[in-house]
Amino acid sequence: MTQIMDGKALSNKILNEIKEKTALLKTKPGLCVILVGDNPASRIYVKNKEKQAQDAGFNSTVYRLSENTDKNELLRLIDKLNNDNTVDGILLQLPLPKHLNPYDFLDKIDPKKDVDGFHPVNAGKIMLNENPYAVPCTPKGILTLLDEYKIQIEGANVVIIGRSNIVGKPLAQLLLNRNATVTVAHSKTKNLSEIAKQADILVSATGHPDMITKDMVKKGAVVIDVGIIRDENGRLRGDVDFNSIKETAGFITPVPGGVGPMTIASLIQNTYSLHILRNKL
Ligand code: GUN
């Protein structure tokens, strides 16, 4: 029998814990999200982040900037937030419109307010197995979920499909730091099915619905589905063909209700921790 890994339930538990701890603080954690342009998926994600931060009792502000915002305007906003003592976490929602290069901005966010863990200082600390100020939210959520279900990470063969800076690369590094044996596969990988089938833990983060099928999954493997895309019928779809592998996998994350809510829970945890750290509480 395949066990479903309930990210929604675990996320609710984490969010409640943070809410209770926040109620005891003298000052509220502050999260600022910057959304540039009108990418429909980003708008939904940002609304959700705003709501969860409010529910946790944080000061939650979203800066919605127009599609044609110029580089200097965005840099000025980041500088203002870096210097605002009520702000603990700054999140620049990606992707940015084509005329803006994310790396012109991510390294301008104060590393101690870098709630996404994307600043080169934080990425470097993860690379060196040092404590970063914040760990990227989706990888952190996946690790929290694996730990909750007591999945053995040390010594496990992990295959990650997808090498993005947001998910694949930081997750690979974090799992390596936990002594897993990690393979990162991507669009140019040969013999993907054979490689995937070696995995004790298979993580797919491609955004291609149903690409992970039964022939790619070892019996009893843990399958983590990071993909989330809305199909032409308005249905949310992951990378994994859930019905085909559901008897093969030992554990599987559903879409929706798996990794997605864990990403938000991690963001709220990160904002809380940055507040504690900056205020030396
Ligand atoms: N776009 C998709 N996922 C993320 C994320 O975790 N952080 C940011 N900033 N943008 C994203």
Side-chain angles (χ1 to χ4, degrees):
M1 253 315 268
T2 306
Q3 198 173 336
I4 307 290
M5 302 173 89
D6 190 344
K8 182 79 193 146
L10 179 55
S11 149
N12 283 339
K13 189 173 109 186
I14 292 169
L15 291 168
N16 277 328
E17 280 166 11
I18 300 280
K19 186 176 178 165
E20 282 169 18
K21 290 201 282 185
T22 299
L24 303 174
L25 296 173
K26 287 205 186 74
T27 51
K28 288 184 182 185
L31 175 65
C32 286
V33 176
I34 307 171
L35 173 63
V36 188
D38 18 61
N39 179 306
S42 292
R43 276 166 63 169
I44 296 170
Y45 295 144
V46 165
K47 186 112 209 97
N48 206 1
K49 289 171 185 180
E50 182 182 26
K51 180 180 180 309
Q52 296 300 341
Q54 282 166 351
D55 286 356
F58 295 178
N59 289 321
S60 171
T61 312
V62 178
Y63 290 84
R64 292 183 170 82
L65 307 184
S66 81
E67 182 81 20
N68 45 32
T69 298
D70 76 16
K71 182 175 168 182
N72 287 333
E73 192 183 344
L74 187 50
L75 287 173
R76 275 197 301 274
L77 175 58
I78 291 172
D79 189 50
K80 180 177 99 133
L81 299 177
N82 280 340
N83 290 301
D84 181 339
N85 203 32
T86 65
V87 175
D88 297 294
I90 304 170
L91 184 149
L92 178 61
Q93 184 67 30
L94 303 177
L96 292 177
K98 286 214 162 48
H99 67 284
L100 298 173
N101 176 354
Y103 299 99
D104 287 339
F105 307 100
L106 293 175
D107 67 349
K108 306 299 186 301
I109 294 174
D110 179 344
K112 292 185 178 167
K113 296 190 177 191
D114 170 34
V115 73
D116 257 326
F118 291 166
H119 189 286
V121 163
N122 286 317
K125 283 176 181 280
I126 292 172
M127 174 90 184
L128 299 170
N129 201 4
E130 291 288 327
N131 275 338
Y133 295 106
V135 171
C137 298
T138 300
K140 176 176 172 137
I142 292 170
L143 290 179
T144 307
L145 200 55
L146 291 172
D147 288 338
E148 173 76 9
Y149 283 84
K150 306 203 167 10
I151 307 296
Q152 165 94 14
I153 292 176
E154 183 162 301
N157 270 333
V158 183
V159 175
I160 302 169
I161 310 177
R163 56 176 156 179
S164 71
N165 291 337
I166 297 180
V167 182
K169 281 192 232 168
L171 180 62
Q173 208 60 63
L174 290 160
L175 287 163
L176 199 55
N177 294 347
R178 297 268 308 260
N179 299 320
T181 302
V182 184
T183 303
V184 182
H186 47 78
S187 53
K188 303 284 186 287
T189 296
K190 294 181 184 135
N191 306 324
L192 180 62
S193 292
E194 281 153 51
I195 292 169
K197 207 160 183 160
Q198 304 294 316
D200 301 313
I201 302 172
L202 178 63
V203 181
S204 184
T206 71
H208 294 297
D210 291 348
M211 75 164 273
I212 306 297
T213 48
K214 189 174 171 178
D215 56 307
M216 299 170 83
V217 176
K218 181 163 84 175
K219 181 94 187 141
V222 177
V223 180
I224 305 289
D225 191 348
V226 188
I228 183 157
I229 213 160
R230 201 171 283 281
D231 70 13
E232 58 282 3
N233 303 316
R235 202 162 63 93
L236 285 178
R237 306 267 302 275
D239 288 358
V240 175
D241 182 355
F242 191 89
N243 287 326
S244 115
I245 70 151
K246 107 171 165 261
E247 299 305 319
T248 308
F251 292 83
I252 181 169
T253 60
V255 175
V259 173
M262 292 306 299
T263 298
I264 304 263
S266 305
L267 172 66
I268 300 303
Q269 283 178 315
N270 282 353
T271 308
Y272 178 86
S273 319
L274 292 177
H275 179 78
I276 299 292
L277 202 72
R278 273 193 344 104
N279 290 282
K280 302 190 175 56
L281 296 174

